[in-house]
Amino acid sequence: VIFTSLPVMFFAVLDRDLEPAMVAKHPELYSTGHWNARFSPGRFWGFILGAVVHSVLLFYLTVYALDLDVSGSTGRGTGMWSIGTAVLTNVIIVVTVTISLHTRSWSIAHVVCYGGSVLIWYLFCLVYHSLPVDFFGDDKSRVHRLIHDLAAGGLFWLTTLLTCSTCV
């Protein structure tokens, strides 16, 4: 939520499709909002259907693509923590790119917020997955060096590219 909500808030607050002078000159432009002309039950359910399709694509494309990855000398698959990290990475990228495509008036704040959202996610992963194994009180941490192992393989990056481009 932290990494995806800030771009949405910046979009909602800073994006404007018309200049303030134009709106002041023609207040009837907002009449569609009063009559709910652009937001109907059909449009609402269209958004819901789109969200369900995106979530299914994000999850299953990532899971099935990373299921091909066999890491380490044990011959085991990537595991739940790796797949969860990859899915969340893809969600953050898809939300940010989608919001970017809908932005009509760009400012430096948009660029910093949108790019920073993805960058901060990767920095968070690097810091969190670099913590000592016993940092949280157990010595069986399954996240230690996880992003390092994922990023070292080309399949993670290919999966991210494939999944995000499919969803956008």
Side-chain angles (χ1 to χ4, degrees):
V1 171
I2 293 170
F3 302 103
T4 56
S5 64
L6 196 60
V8 173
M9 285 190 287
F10 264 75
F11 174 77
V13 171
L14 296 177
D15 193 48
R16 39 179 200 194
D17 49 351
L18 299 170
E19 292 299 319
M22 177 66 77
V23 174
K25 206 180 223 186
H26 302 284
E28 67 273 6
L29 292 171
Y30 283 110
S31 64
T32 59
H34 293 296
W35 297 317
N36 227 5
R38 294 189 181 226
F39 197 69
S40 63
R43 186 160 180 161
F44 170 79
W45 287 110
F47 282 127
I48 297 298
L49 179 65
V52 169
V53 168
H54 272 113
S55 63
V56 167
L57 285 171
L58 280 163
F59 179 76
Y60 285 107
L61 283 174
T62 305
V63 167
Y64 286 127
L66 286 181
D67 193 40
L68 302 171
D69 189 20
V70 178
S71 58
S73 59
T74 61
R76 292 190 191 143
T78 51
M80 178 184 72
W81 291 102
S82 298
I83 297 218
T85 301
V87 168
L88 188 53
T89 299
N90 292 340
V91 166
I92 290 168
I93 292 171
V94 165
V95 166
T96 305
V97 169
T98 302
I99 237 31
S100 299
L101 292 173
H102 288 283
T103 301
R104 292 189 184 115
S105 58
W106 282 87
S107 69
I108 192 69
H110 287 96
V111 175
V112 169
C113 179
Y114 297 170
S117 174
V118 175
L119 181 65
I120 289 171
W121 166 248
Y122 281 113
L123 290 174
F124 169 79
C125 283
L126 283 173
V127 169
Y128 182 71
H129 294 160
S130 296
L131 294 174
V133 174
D134 60 349
F135 186 80
F136 294 106
D138 65 349
D139 59 352
K140 296 180 173 108
S141 176
R142 291 171 180 85
V143 297
H144 181 67
R145 298 204 43 85
L146 186 138
I147 196 69
H148 303 91
D149 296 338
L150 271 176
L155 188 59
F156 169 72
W157 299 108
L158 185 63
T159 301
T160 299
L161 181 66
L162 169 79
T163 305
C164 293
S165 60
T166 302
C167 288
V168 173

